[in-house]
Amino acid sequence: MRKSMISVLLMYCMWGFLCVTVSGEAVVLSSNGLDLKNLSASPAAQAMPAVKPGLESPTEGGFVFYNRQFITSTFGKNRQVLLTFDDGPNPQTTPVVLDVLKRRGLKAIFFLVGTNVRKYPELVKRIHAEGHTIGNHTFFHLNLPRFSADRITQEIRSTNALIQGICGAKPAVFRPPYGGINKAVLDIVKNEGMSVMLWSVDPGDWRSRNMNRIIDNLKRQLHLDSGGRGGIVLLHDTLSSTAHALEPFLVALTPAGAALALDAR
């Protein structure tokens, strides 16, 4: 049996994940979670070089995930893949993504933009009802370091309020558009009681808008042809090419294209 293993993280919550472990010819749902506090205290985290002066160190609970080097080190070594989708929801493409995830019994993080949340509340309800994690991606998709602290706070709070009004729960995780982050953004997000999550794998779906190229880029960046390496994957559920690339990409995550076998414990 092939000894190398890849894990697909299913659901981010404030302090952990559920993951699917790819082993042999089946994918089995595991109840083993990843504790962010344990991750931040791990040898990989302790060995990380210091982040930019003025930014919080990667040993503060959920805030570990804004350091891309830390993401690459931790997720890569553990061969764990977390699927995240930005900019939605979109009535044409988000349902396609949700259908694929539902069919395979998988969960993901959807970082939603406030303007789209306001337009498509029923889609937000579906994302939440199907067990996915909803994150905050600002209201107007702004590059936050260019704006005042008051405007940054408004972008985050207005989106949180809108999502909470629809789903009954305030988002616990935040992703800044364009990965734009500085000390002011971090301080405000922390004051709102949220964690920041960036990414380590970017197939450039927003650039190429080509299904085959997206799949090839994902396979290459995750080293699927040589045992696999993990990471946090950045995708956009607003793009048709991405929505239709998801199924073949998930097949590529399993040895010989084996089907997902779920242990529903």
Side-chain angles (χ1 to χ4, degrees), residues 143-163:
N143 192 348
L144 295 181
R146 299 179 179 178
F147 293 85
S148 68
D150 286 345
R151 181 59 188 274
I152 295 169
T153 301
Q154 180 184 11
E155 284 285 314
I156 295 171
R157 287 184 176 175
S158 58
T159 306
N160 278 348
L162 198 57
I163 293 172

Side-chain angles (χ1 to χ4, degrees), residues 36-233:
L36 300 188
K37 291 182 178 178
N38 289 337
L39 278 177
S40 64
S42 69
Q46 295 170 1
M48 286 303 304
V51 296
K52 294 179 180 179
L55 296 186
E56 192 145 0
S57 82
T59 59
E60 290 289 330
F63 275 75
V64 295
F65 291 114
Y66 68 77
N67 186 309
R68 285 193 176 93
Q69 289 178 294
F70 178 75
I71 295 171
T72 300
S73 174
T74 304
F75 283 73
K77 288 180 180 179
N78 293 336
R79 295 189 176 92
Q80 293 166 329
V81 178
L82 173 61
L83 299 178
T84 69
F85 297 91
D86 286 11
D87 295 357
N90 177 289
Q92 279 74 49
T93 51
T94 301
V96 177
V97 171
L98 290 171
D99 288 345
V100 172
L101 295 174
K102 184 175 183 180
R103 187 160 57 246
R104 289 183 167 269
L106 300 177
K107 302 291 185 289
I109 305 178
F110 288 81
F111 290 97
L112 305 184
V113 175
T115 52
N116 289 333
V117 171
R118 184 169 57 187
K119 290 178 185 176
Y120 310 113
E122 293 304 316
L123 263 180
V124 178
K125 289 179 182 178
R126 178 182 171 185
I127 294 170
H128 177 71
E130 294 185 3
H132 303 287
T133 295
I134 293 178
N136 184 322
H137 200 44
T138 74
F139 204 90
F140 290 105
H141 202 271
L142 301 181
N143 192 348
L144 295 181
R146 299 179 179 178
F147 293 85
S148 68
D150 286 345
R151 181 59 188 274
I152 295 169
T153 301
Q154 180 184 11
E155 284 285 314
I156 295 171
R157 287 184 176 175
S158 58
T159 306
N160 278 348
L162 198 57
I163 293 172
Q164 186 168 10
I166 294 171
C167 301
K170 171 188 167 184
V173 62
F174 174 77
R175 173 172 287 168
Y178 315 105
I181 199 165
N182 60 12
K183 186 177 185 302
V185 174
L186 282 174
D187 288 345
I188 291 168
V189 174
K190 185 175 182 180
N191 287 338
E192 294 300 314
M194 304 176 74
S195 298
V196 176
M197 179 175 285
L198 296 183
W199 60 88
S200 61
V201 176
D202 179 4
D205 60 341
W206 53 273
R207 183 188 302 112
S208 71
R209 306 194 179 212
N210 179 285
M211 185 186 78
N212 291 328
R213 189 170 299 173
I214 293 167
I215 297 169
D216 289 343
N217 287 344
L218 285 168
K219 292 170 66 176
R220 175 176 53 81
Q221 292 184 39
L222 290 168
H223 300 268
L224 295 188
D225 294 330
S226 57
R229 182 181 300 171
I232 298 178
V233 178

